[in-house]
Amino acid sequence: MEEETDGPPFDDTAAVATNWMCDFMFASMCFYFREDRTEDFQRSTHMLEWLLEGSQKIDAHRKTIPIAQFLMRVAEGKNLDSQFDTDESLTPLETALMTFNQIEEEEDLKHLHEEIELLLKVQAVVTCMEKGRFKLSAEILDRLFKESGSNKYLRMKLTMLIEKKDPYHEFLQNFTYAQMMKKIKSYIALKMKERPSVFLLKE
């Protein structure tokens, strides 16, 4: 005779608990990223990846996953050896840009989104210049900045700086890595405000 149990089946309870933990680890990721706590951020990303692999409710995190992937790539932005795409020619900031454009864009964040997109493009080029990878910088410039369009002047200036091998020109003070990170942190803070309260933090 089977033993009767009260409450929902264990697997259902485990799925709910996993969902809570995913929300908590995502909130942790965002907090540690904004606080520049690299080791804690990396630990949180590994935990979130592990939890999502076993999650039965991955659709519930459809909006969370692109943001988490974006932050992981930005965190490795200066490390050109890090690979996040099957195309090994793509740098971390290029893949960050691709992931960033997969995040659902709210109308009130449109301007900030556009600012971050531009900073990601410029820093994808400049980071390679700082590493002495000028050929790669030129290749990224061709991929990210079309010859026509509103960024024609910016493309021209970046082309000139690549040719001069000058990654620290005063023109680039308008597009620094620090400015990019500041904008991204502001963006993440605003995205977190839009989300419901994290159950485990609330408890």
Side-chain angles (χ1 to χ4, degrees):
M1 184 175 179
E2 293 185 2
E3 182 181 352
E4 294 185 3
T5 58
D6 295 328
F10 181 82
D11 285 348
D12 291 346
T13 304
V16 172
T18 300
N19 194 46
W20 288 343
M21 283 299 298
C22 284
D23 285 342
F24 176 72
M25 295 315 300
F26 175 71
S28 299
M29 262 188 74
C30 293
F31 174 78
Y32 293 136
F33 180 88
R34 290 168 55 206
E35 294 293 316
D36 296 319
R37 291 168 56 175
T38 304
E39 290 186 6
D40 291 325
F41 171 78
Q42 291 175 341
R43 191 177 302 113
S44 297
T45 60
H46 294 153
M47 282 294 297
L48 180 61
E49 286 179 317
W50 180 75
L51 287 165
L52 287 171
E53 283 178 7
S55 176
Q56 297 176 10
K57 296 185 176 182
I58 198 163
D59 285 345
H61 305 284
R62 181 175 52 84
K63 293 184 178 181
T64 296
I65 292 173
I67 298 174
Q69 291 174 333
F70 169 63
L71 294 183
M72 290 164 61
R73 286 153 175 76
V74 170
E76 291 293 315
K78 293 279 191 180
N79 185 3
L80 299 183
D81 293 328
S82 291
Q83 294 292 326
F84 293 97
D85 195 272
T86 52
D87 184 349
E88 294 184 358
S89 68
L90 296 178
T91 61
L93 288 182
E94 287 181 278
T95 61
L97 177 63
M98 293 164 59
T99 309
F100 186 62
N101 288 328
Q102 294 173 7
I103 300 172
E104 291 186 15
E105 182 183 317
E106 288 81 7
E107 188 61 33
D108 58 336
L109 294 180
K110 185 177 180 180
H111 180 65
L112 182 56
H113 193 283
E114 290 172 350
E115 287 183 321
I116 293 171
E117 184 178 356
L118 180 58
L119 285 165
L120 284 166
K121 288 180 178 180
V122 174
Q123 278 301 314
V125 174
V126 174
T127 297
C128 293
M129 292 172 65
E130 291 174 345
K131 302 283 187 181
R133 305 280 297 277
F134 296 102
K135 183 180 178 182
L136 180 57
S137 295
E139 292 172 359
I140 293 171
L141 182 68
D142 285 339
R143 286 199 288 263
L144 299 183
F145 292 91
K146 304 305 178 186
E147 290 192 20
S148 59
S150 58
N151 291 324
K152 189 174 181 179
Y153 174 74
L154 181 55
R155 176 189 166 91
M156 181 187 71
K157 290 291 291 186
L158 289 172
T159 300
M160 180 187 70
L161 295 177
I162 292 172
E163 290 173 351
K164 289 185 174 182
K165 298 185 177 182
D166 186 2
Y168 303 107
H169 191 276
E170 61 181 2
F171 174 77
L172 296 175
Q173 293 308 305
N174 298 312
F175 307 96
T176 65
Y177 202 88
Q179 288 172 326
M180 182 188 76
M181 293 297 287
K182 184 178 179 180
K183 296 280 186 184
I184 291 172
K185 289 175 183 180
S186 297
Y187 179 82
I188 294 303
L190 291 169
K191 294 293 282 187
M192 289 302 293
K193 283 183 179 179
E194 296 171 355
R195 289 173 55 81
S197 298
V198 177
F199 176 79
L200 291 179
L201 289 175
K202 188 165 60 177
E203 288 301 303

